[in-house]
């Protein structure tokens, strides 16, 4: 365990200030098979990103039809549709290192690993930014089309059916966030617990069921 050295008369506290960056392990695990697995895990999230991008384009089209070209929501959505998939690509290169630390059962080491910290930041930051759109009235009530129509804010300059397209596709992207998180959590748990392959493969189907059920309930069933 790292501990700061006692200060001396001949040296100031500056070496201690530089010690934290030296603690970080910047080594990436970039074996081809692990990168391929990380990319496969990210596929549902990229599907959600594709749907969200289509929803943003439809929303922008709806705003244009009513004569609105400048609005904060348009700019925010345009930024998110680029930022979310960009962060997802970067997470692919960080995920194998996350799994490696779990297999080594080294929790303390993982907290000092730059790729692990980057993975957490690259998931949490865009997810938090995305919630600003997802939790707005008229978009958050995706399981009820009538509630969504009642809550739709007049501040958002868009008519039917464009707001419904934005709402359902935004929640599809949100599901992509969670399925990637759940899959990585399952890989970490399986690696840490030394479970057999049948147990690991069986658990992989759980996020798929949640994602597909959410897509059906939030789309064709209610709209």
């Amino acid at each position: 365990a790292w501990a700061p050295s006692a200060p001396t008369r001949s040296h100031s506290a500056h070496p201690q200030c530089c010690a934290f960056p030296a603690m970080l392990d910047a080594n990436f695990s970039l074996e081809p098979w692990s990168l391929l697995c990380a990319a496969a895990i990210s596929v549902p999230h990229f599907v959600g990103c594709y749907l969200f991008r289509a929803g943003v384009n439809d929303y922008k089209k709806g705003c244009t039809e009513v004569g609105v070209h400048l609005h904060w929501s348009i700019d925010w959505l345009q930024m998110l549709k680029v930022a979310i998939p960009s962060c997802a690509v970067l997470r692919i290169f960080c995920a194998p290192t996350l799994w490696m630390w779990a297999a080594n059962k080294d929790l303390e080491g993982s907290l000092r690993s730059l790729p692990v910290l980057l993975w957490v930041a690259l998931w949490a930051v865009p997810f938090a930014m995305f919630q600003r759109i997802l939790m707005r009235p008229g978009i958050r009530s995706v399981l009820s089309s009538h509630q969504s129509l009642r809550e739709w804010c007049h501040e958002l300059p868009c008519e039917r059916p464009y707001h419904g397209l934005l709402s359902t596709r935004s929640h599809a992207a949100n599901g992509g966030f969670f399925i990637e998180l759940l899959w990585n959590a399952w890989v970490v748990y399986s690696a840490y617990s030394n479970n057999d392959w049948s147990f690991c493969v069986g658990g992989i189907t759980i996020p798929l069921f949640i994602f597909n059920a959410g897509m059906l309930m939030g789309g064709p069933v209610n709209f």
Side-chain angles (χ1 to χ4, degrees), residues 59 63 71-73 136-137 139 152-159:
Y59 175 74
C63 293
H71 192 268
W72 73 265
S73 61
R136 291 192 66 81
I139 297 180
W152 186 255
C153 183
H154 296 292
E155 177 192 356
L156 297 178
C158 188
E159 299 293 338

Side-chain angles (χ1 to χ4, degrees), residues 9-217:
R9 293 182 180 179
S10 59
H11 298 281
S12 65
H14 292 293
Q16 296 181 20
C17 297
C18 300
F20 179 72
M23 293 171 57
L24 291 179
D25 183 353
N27 293 318
F28 284 76
S29 177
L30 299 176
E31 291 83 359
W33 69 268
S34 60
L35 290 175
L36 183 61
C37 290
I41 285 177
S42 300
V43 167
H45 185 61
F46 284 116
V47 173
C49 290
Y50 171 80
L51 294 173
F52 175 65
R53 185 182 186 90
V56 171
N57 292 336
D58 286 329
Y59 175 74
K60 186 177 179 181
K61 179 180 177 181
C63 293
T64 302
E65 288 185 359
V66 295
V68 176
H69 301 280
L70 296 176
H71 192 268
W72 73 265
S73 61
I74 299 175
D75 297 334
W76 190 258
L77 288 167
Q78 289 288 109
M79 182 269 295
L80 286 176
K81 81 174 186 179
V82 175
I84 292 175
S86 299
C87 291
V89 171
L90 294 176
R91 286 197 300 272
I92 292 175
F93 296 94
C94 299
T97 309
L98 175 68
W99 308 339
M100 180 194 69
W101 284 108
N104 293 337
K105 296 181 173 58
D106 189 353
L107 177 61
E108 182 180 353
S110 67
L111 297 178
R112 297 197 304 266
S113 172
L114 179 61
V116 172
L117 298 178
L118 282 176
W119 191 95
V120 173
L122 289 169
W123 189 91
V125 172
F127 177 78
M129 296 172 64
F130 186 56
Q131 300 310 302
R132 182 182 180 187
I133 291 294
L134 200 70
M135 292 293 103
R136 291 192 66 81
I139 297 180
R140 63 191 178 194
S141 303
V142 70
L143 296 181
S144 172
S145 57
H146 301 290
Q147 184 72 13
S148 180
L149 289 171
R150 284 195 298 268
E151 289 183 351
W152 186 255
C153 183
H154 296 292
E155 177 192 356
L156 297 178
C158 188
E159 299 293 338
R160 298 178 68 179
Y162 300 111
H163 74 286
L165 294 173
L166 173 64
S167 178
T168 54
R169 291 168 178 177
S170 295
H171 282 270
N174 196 51
F177 270 108
F178 281 106
I179 194 171
E180 184 183 354
L181 177 66
L182 288 171
W183 256 345
N184 277 281
W186 185 260
V187 172
V188 168
Y189 170 74
S190 300
Y192 191 83
S193 303
N194 286 331
N195 290 299
D196 56 36
W197 284 107
S198 60
F199 179 84
C200 299
V201 173
I204 285 177
T205 61
I206 297 173
L208 275 179
F209 173 78
I210 296 173
F211 181 78
N212 291 332
M215 289 286 288
L216 289 174
M217 293 302 298

